[in-house]
């Protein structure tokens, strides 16, 4: 068989149509190579029993345990019967339940003392964890002979039993049997690592690594296999990114150097405050990039409120000074309007190009969004094509075919993770030559993720808060355990308003949608209080606003803001809030990014446990933006011992976004480490834990950069080129263009 194709063989040829269909639909595995890269999640040791005490609710699990008791119970006046089996592993117990006709085989198989693997979804019944109708595979042969018993155990690969990421449709041991069927093909695996790199770092060959990861005899086998497979993933991905950086560096761009005594100098001269050292340092990095003849590709990460907009504005002014235009792309209309407002305010008469009272250096700052009226839109398009507008701020409406620029020199993308690849490429295509690109994010990204997800961008970090920013204190409010704490939270909101300030109340849902309403239990059965807390739908903006207006915040001006409102209505609400006419804004996370009302000092986040760590940090950054200290209250019904409460405690304990993003990553499951938006690469990172493997990722980046600078087309490394083609199928290729 052709070497390249041994691992590309469809699974249906190797395993049959039925199994291949389930693997494709439920695990996304299509070829022999895909299955060989579906690694065990962990390994159960024969003598060691998996901890039943740590089982997660509502997840599909595989456990190795011993039957303690088994009994048949009758119900419905004796007409129904169920088999209840208790299994144990020394750390805890778990109940298995089988109903009706399904009880005969397990009743015969699962005698006390029998050891087996069990797989099923963990649920709770009568406050006890249970698996209903689990699949099982006996580990101690109940056969007639010792030989059969030994074979039953022996089929589980020596001393270590691989436990695979499985689904309800395909148990771990069935995956193991499928892996056995294709494992001989591992010998044909092409090794993507250059031999000098592999030998220099003492890594084992790829076929050996695949064999050892699936069928290890010792823990050392697993460790050496993991080291090798992590390197593959890190290196191939970093080569893809290094090639992208190399290709970008070959593109031509117009160097943009600000003219002395021009718009930028005029702007700096009228600033009422000093720039921070961080802002000066990052601005210099950006100006140096803008002065080169290939496009800048820079990621600017800054803590919430670190003054990124100021840095971006100075970059835009530098480009306008040099005769070009700058476009700023915002993810929402609310944010585009707000950026437009704050930038024109910061610039004053410098933003009144061509108008009476405008300065001699002035330019025009134009807003372009999808909901603008036709006359305003026509004027905005005209300002762009003639070059009258040096700066344009807009939503993805900027990308439409109709929009033409006179000379686009710089694109600033705010909150990068909300923009897809095609959108950015479309905007880049509007320059006569590729424009310079500055990507901003307020979500702090640990260094490793920056190297993986944003690996084709140079990174600048703003980690100082500007002078005059106030500290924010954060507290967890356990509404269920201590209702008086919640009452006190609303009193605190009133106190802030009485002191002349304003407050946000954030909820996870809008609440105006029939589909959002909770589903009734089947047959109208009553649920236990525990179920209610777990299953209750998240609190909604419209309901909470109603309750507050007639209850604890009676007499205050309360308004709502959410994503389904008309753009004009949203803008009107934001204007009233910014002007101080509204005391309390009850909103969804539309306020998460960039909303800037310095007079808002308090935020109450309802059902805070339903938000991620980084998202809570983002939301909290909306308060404490003026001279008065900020207060953020995280309201939750979760019990004190729950992981959700621990997460909220972490947010309350630190204002350091980088520390929180690290905690966030550690708490997410490995496969989800790059978030939903990065699906392209996620499927290729199976072994690499982005947070723990910083050294490997950094080393792989260096090695990859060296390899690509020596041999950009990888002509001398055909195996690496093949691996790269496999990684970069169409979807991932787009992702790497910066999805």
């Amino acid at each position: 068989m052709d070497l390249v194709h041994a691992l590309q063989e469809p699974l249906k040829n190797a395993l049959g149509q039925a199994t291949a269909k389930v693997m494709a639909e439920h695990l996304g595995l299509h070829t022999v190579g895909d299955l060989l890269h579906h690694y065990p999640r962990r390994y159960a040791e024969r003598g060691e029993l998996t901890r039943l005490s740590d089982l997660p609710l509502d997840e599909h699990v595989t456990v190795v345990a011993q039957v303690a008791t088994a009994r048949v119970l009758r119900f419905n006046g004796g007409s129904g019967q169920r088999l209840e089996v208790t299994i144990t592993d020394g750390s805890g117990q778990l109940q298995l339940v089988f109903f009706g006709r399904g009880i005969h085989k397990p009743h015969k198989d699962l005698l006390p003392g029998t050891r087996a693997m069990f797989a099923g979804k963990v649920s709770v019944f009568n406050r006890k964890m249970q698996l209903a109708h689990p699949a099982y595979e006996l580990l101690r042969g109940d056969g007639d002979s010792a030989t059969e018993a030994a074979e039953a155990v022996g089929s589980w690969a020596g001393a270590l039993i691989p436990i695979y990421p499985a689904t309800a449709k395909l148990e771990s041991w069935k995956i193991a049997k499928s892996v056995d069927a294709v494992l001989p093909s591992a010998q044909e695996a092409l090794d993507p690592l250059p031999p000098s790199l592999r030998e220099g770092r003492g890594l084992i060959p790829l076929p050996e690594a695949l064999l050892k990861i699936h069928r290890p005899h010792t823990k050392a086998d697993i460790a050496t296999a993991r080291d090798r497979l992590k390197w593959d993933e890190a290196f191939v991905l970093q080569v893809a990114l290094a090639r992208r950086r190399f290709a970008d560096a070959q593109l031509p761009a117009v160097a943009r150097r600000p003219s002395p005594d021009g718009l930028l100098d005029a702007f700096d001269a009228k600033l009422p405050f000093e720039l921070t050292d961080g802002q000066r340092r990052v601005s210099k990095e950006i100006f140096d990039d803008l002065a080169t003849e290939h496009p800048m590709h820079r990621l600017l990460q800054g803590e919430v409120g670190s003054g990124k907009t100021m840095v971006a504005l100075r970059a835009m002014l530098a480009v306008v000074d040099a005769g070009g235009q700058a476009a700023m792309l915002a993810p929402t209309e609310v944010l585009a309007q707000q950026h437009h407002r704050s930038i024109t305010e910061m610039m004053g008469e410098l933003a009144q190009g061509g108008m009476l009272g405008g300065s001699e250096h002035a330019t025009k700052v134009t807003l372009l969004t999808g909901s603008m009226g036709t006359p305003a839109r026509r004027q905005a398009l005209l300002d762009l094509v003639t070059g009258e507008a040096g700066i344009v701020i807009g939503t993805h409406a900027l990308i439409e075919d109709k929009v033409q620029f006179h000379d686009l020199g710089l694109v600033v993308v705010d909150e990068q993770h909300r923009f897809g690849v095609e959108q950015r490429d479309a905007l880049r295509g509007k320059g006569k030559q590729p424009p310079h690109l500055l990507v901003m994010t307020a979500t702090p990204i640990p260094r490793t993720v920056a190297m993986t997800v944003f690996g084709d961008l140079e990174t600048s970090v703003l980690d100082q808060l500007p002078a005059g920013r106030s500290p924010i204190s954060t507290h967890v409010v356990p509404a269920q355990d201590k209702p008086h704490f919640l009452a006190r939270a609303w009193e605190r909101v009133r106190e802030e308003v009485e002191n002349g300030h304003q407050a946000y109340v954030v909820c996870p849902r809008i609440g105006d949608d029939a589909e959002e309403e909770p589903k009734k239990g089947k047959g109208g059965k009553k649920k236990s209080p525990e179920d209610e807390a777990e299953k209750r739908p998240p609190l909604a903006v419209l309901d909470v606003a109603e309750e507050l207006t007639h209850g604890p915040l009676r007499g205050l001006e309360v308004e709502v803001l959410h994503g389904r409102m008309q753009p004009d209505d949203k803008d009107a609400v934001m204007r009233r809030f910014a002007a101080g006419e509204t005391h309390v804004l009850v909103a969804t996370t539309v306020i998460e990014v960039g909303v800037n009302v310095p007079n808002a000092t308090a935020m109450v986040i309802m059902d805070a446990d339903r938000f991620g760590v980084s998202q809570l940090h983002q939301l909290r950054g909306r308060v404490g933006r003026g001279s008065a200290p900020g207060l953020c209250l995280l309201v939750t019904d979760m019990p004190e011992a729950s992981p959700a409460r621990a997460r909220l405690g972490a947010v309350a304990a630190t204002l350091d976004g980088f520390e929180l993003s690290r905690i966030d990553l550690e708490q997410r499951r490995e496969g989800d480490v790059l978030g939903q938006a990065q699906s392209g690469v996620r499927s290729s990172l199976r072994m690499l834990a982005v947070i723990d493997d910083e050294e490997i990722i950094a080393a792989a980046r260096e090695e990859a950069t060296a390899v690509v600078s020596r041999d950009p087309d990888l002509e001398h490394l055909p195996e690496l080129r093949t691996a790269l083609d496999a990684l970069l199928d169409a979807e991932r290729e787009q992702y790497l263009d910066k999805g």
Side-chain angles (χ1 to χ4, degrees):
M1 182 181 279
D2 180 334
L3 284 194
V4 175
H5 293 103
L7 272 63
Q8 290 171 356
E9 188 187 351
L11 280 173
K12 63 170 186 266
N13 300 355
L15 305 174
Q17 185 68 49
T19 307
K21 187 168 184 261
V22 178
M23 286 199 170
E25 282 176 10
H26 294 276
L27 294 169
L29 308 176
H30 304 278
T31 64
V32 168
D34 289 346
L35 180 54
L36 287 174
H37 289 296
H38 185 73
Y39 308 129
R41 197 158 43 96
R42 57 186 179 81
Y43 303 84
E45 290 182 60
R46 197 71 47 55
E48 160 233 63
L49 291 161
T50 315
R51 293 180 65 77
L52 293 180
S53 54
D54 299 340
L55 289 183
L57 200 58
D58 281 341
E59 277 191 33
H60 202 84
V61 299
T62 304
V63 297
V64 178
Q66 187 161 355
V67 176
T69 63
R71 57 190 185 142
V72 176
L73 302 170
R74 298 200 171 276
F75 57 95
N76 278 357
S79 63
Q81 52 180 5
R82 70 174 185 270
L83 170 65
E84 280 185 7
V85 177
T86 306
I87 58 173
T88 178
D89 71 346
S91 76
Q93 294 192 330
L94 180 65
Q95 191 160 303
L96 316 177
V97 59
F98 302 86
F99 292 101
R101 294 205 184 99
I103 76 171
H104 303 307
K105 187 172 182 327
H107 193 207
K108 197 167 87 236
D109 290 343
L110 301 179
L111 303 170
T114 306
R115 283 172 47 72
M117 296 177 82
F118 301 92
K121 194 171 177 187
V122 183
S123 57
V124 167
F125 181 71
N126 278 346
R127 298 196 175 193
K128 278 190 189 152
M129 296 268 220
Q130 71 166 26
L131 299 181
H133 278 286
Y136 61 87
E137 178 92 347
L138 300 179
L139 283 181
R140 189 153 66 217
D142 291 341
D144 303 327
S145 68
T147 319
E148 274 181 52
E151 273 172 16
V153 176
S155 69
W156 293 101
L160 294 159
I161 301 166
I163 308 278
Y164 286 91
T167 74
K169 295 270 188 279
L170 203 64
E171 292 85 14
S172 171
W173 54 85
K174 288 186 183 158
I175 296 171
K177 285 174 179 168
S178 299
V179 169
D180 283 338
V182 302
L183 209 48
S185 303
Q187 293 308 322
E188 317 288 326
L190 285 179
D191 201 322
L193 295 190
S196 58
L197 188 161
R198 201 184 75 224
E199 287 151 20
R201 296 198 173 263
L203 298 167
I204 60 174
L206 181 57
E208 188 186 333
L210 289 171
L211 208 61
K212 284 184 168 169
I213 200 75
H214 288 291
R215 299 294 173 262
H217 292 294
T218 63
K219 287 183 176 172
D221 284 354
I222 300 170
T224 54
R226 278 196 169 141
D227 287 348
R228 164 62 218 244
L229 294 166
K230 282 178 177 183
W231 253 97
D232 272 21
E233 287 173 14
F235 182 70
V236 174
L237 179 57
Q238 290 302 336
V239 167
L241 294 164
R243 288 185 76 191
R244 173 88 46 219
R245 287 196 301 276
F246 185 85
D248 283 342
Q250 311 309 307
L251 292 172
V254 179
R256 310 279 178 175
R257 297 182 185 87
S259 48
D261 301 325
L263 181 56
L264 179 62
D265 286 351
F267 175 76
D268 283 351
K270 64 192 272 309
L271 275 181
F273 52 79
E274 284 285 306
L275 294 173
T276 65
D277 295 344
Q279 285 175 316
R280 288 180 192 285
R281 185 192 72 247
V282 170
S283 289
K284 182 181 182 319
E285 291 170 352
I286 292 171
F287 291 151
D288 289 349
D289 283 358
L290 290 174
T292 61
E293 293 187 347
H294 57 83
M296 165 171 81
H297 289 100
R298 191 165 281 281
L299 171 69
L300 170 56
Q301 343 177 23
E303 271 291 9
V304 178
S306 57
K308 288 184 303 299
T309 311
M310 173 61 71
V311 169
L313 175 55
R314 291 182 74 238
M316 294 197 285
L317 295 174
V319 169
V320 175
D321 247 355
Q325 289 170 294
M328 185 183 229
L329 211 54
T332 63
E333 294 214 348
V334 166
L335 200 51
Q337 285 159 338
Q338 181 156 323
H339 275 318
H340 183 254
R341 235 185 347 259
S342 63
I343 282 172
T344 45
E345 278 167 17
M346 281 196 259
M347 287 175 65
E349 72 277 7
L350 295 175
Q352 295 168 358
M355 295 183 231
L356 278 173
S359 148
E360 57 166 325
H361 298 300
T363 186
K364 199 167 181 183
V365 180
T366 296
L367 177 69
L368 184 65
T369 62
S371 66
M372 282 167 84
T374 310
R377 187 178 172 78
R378 197 174 290 134
Q379 183 60 52
L381 291 171
L382 192 65
D383 290 345
L384 290 188
V385 77
T386 59
E388 184 87 5
I391 295 177
V392 58
I393 296 159
T395 54
H396 50 262
L398 279 177
I399 297 164
E400 290 168 12
D401 292 341
K402 292 194 218 47
V403 181
Q404 298 295 321
F405 289 84
H406 176 64
D407 178 14
L408 181 61
L410 170 66
V411 175
V412 178
V413 179
D414 191 21
E415 285 310 317
Q416 120 79 27
H417 57 284
R418 299 178 179 230
F419 275 104
V421 183
E422 303 81 10
Q423 295 169 308
R424 279 193 16 201
D425 281 353
L427 195 56
R428 270 163 80 171
K430 291 192 177 290
K432 293 188 176 73
Q433 287 190 325
H436 298 281
L437 177 68
L438 179 64
V439 166
M440 300 200 295
T441 176
T443 309
I445 304 163
R447 177 167 164 256
T448 42
V449 180
M451 284 190 290
T452 330
V453 183
F454 302 103
D456 59 344
L457 299 172
E458 298 302 325
T459 305
S460 296
V461 178
L462 271 179
D463 44 15
Q464 250 177 313
L465 288 187
R469 276 298 163 88
S470 303
I472 304 170
S473 54
T474 309
H475 305 281
V476 178
V477 177
Q480 190 84 351
D481 310 347
K482 299 180 177 166
H484 59 285
F485 276 35
L486 184 58
R488 175 74 188 114
W490 301 126
E491 281 171 25
R492 282 292 289 113
V493 169
R494 269 190 179 285
E495 287 163 16
E496 290 299 310
V497 172
E498 280 158 16
N499 290 331
H501 297 302
Q502 293 157 279
Y504 297 98
V505 177
V506 182
C507 306
R509 267 169 72 239
I510 298 173
D512 63 350
D513 192 285
E515 285 174 30
E516 287 192 320
E517 293 313 312
K519 306 272 187 291
K520 299 270 190 299
K522 279 186 189 156
K525 284 181 191 157
K526 265 192 93 171
K527 292 182 177 163
S528 73
E530 285 84 356
D531 281 350
E532 289 301 336
E534 190 63 40
K535 298 284 190 268
R536 136 178 109 59
L539 292 168
V541 166
L542 300 177
D543 306 342
V544 169
E546 179 82 5
E547 269 177 51
L548 293 177
T549 311
H550 296 106
L553 302 185
R554 189 183 291 122
L556 300 187
E557 283 297 322
V558 177
E559 286 211 67
V560 300
L561 180 71
H562 58 74
R564 275 198 221 117
M565 290 164 65
Q566 289 301 314
D568 290 354
D569 296 343
K570 277 191 228 175
D571 198 40
V573 167
M574 273 318 298
R575 278 175 190 279
R576 285 194 292 275
F577 190 63
E581 295 163 24
T582 306
H583 298 133
V584 179
L585 188 63
V586 183
T588 55
T589 54
V590 291
I591 62 152
E592 173 187 349
V593 177
V595 170
N596 184 23
V597 179
N599 191 46
T601 52
M603 175 177 285
V604 181
I605 303 179
M606 308 302 290
D607 277 341
D609 48 89
R610 314 259 180 150
F611 299 98
V613 169
S614 293
Q615 197 174 26
L616 290 169
H617 182 59
Q618 285 290 312
L619 286 165
R620 166 171 68 183
R622 302 299 115 217
V623 296
R625 298 176 79 84
S627 51
L631 171 69
C632 178
L633 302 173
L634 308 172
V635 180
T636 178
D637 279 349
M638 285 293 143
E640 196 162 354
S642 63
R645 271 288 279 281
R647 227 174 39 233
L648 298 182
V651 175
T654 178
L655 288 171
D656 179 343
F658 286 91
E659 175 58 27
L660 287 173
S661 67
R662 222 180 158 80
I663 291 168
D664 199 12
L665 277 176
E666 280 164 5
Q667 290 188 340
R668 287 197 233 171
R669 269 183 241 108
E670 228 167 71
D672 193 33
V673 95
L674 304 184
Q676 292 305 315
Q678 278 81 24
S679 60
V681 161
R682 189 176 65 198
S683 44
S684 71
L685 294 190
R686 299 169 196 280
M687 189 56 79
L688 206 61
V690 172
I691 198 73
D692 301 328
D693 295 321
E694 186 164 330
E695 282 160 29
I696 293 179
I697 293 170
R701 181 177 165 114
E702 265 176 50
E703 294 268 14
T705 307
V707 163
V708 170
S709 60
R710 282 196 304 270
D711 182 3
D713 294 325
L714 307 179
E715 282 171 21
H716 305 295
L717 296 167
E719 295 86 355
L720 176 55
R721 222 174 41 234
T722 304
L724 208 57
D725 293 342
L727 171 75
L728 301 185
D729 56 31
E731 174 201 7
R732 294 178 216 170
E733 178 69 271
Q734 282 183 335
Y735 155 74
L736 280 174
D737 273 332
K738 287 262 50 68

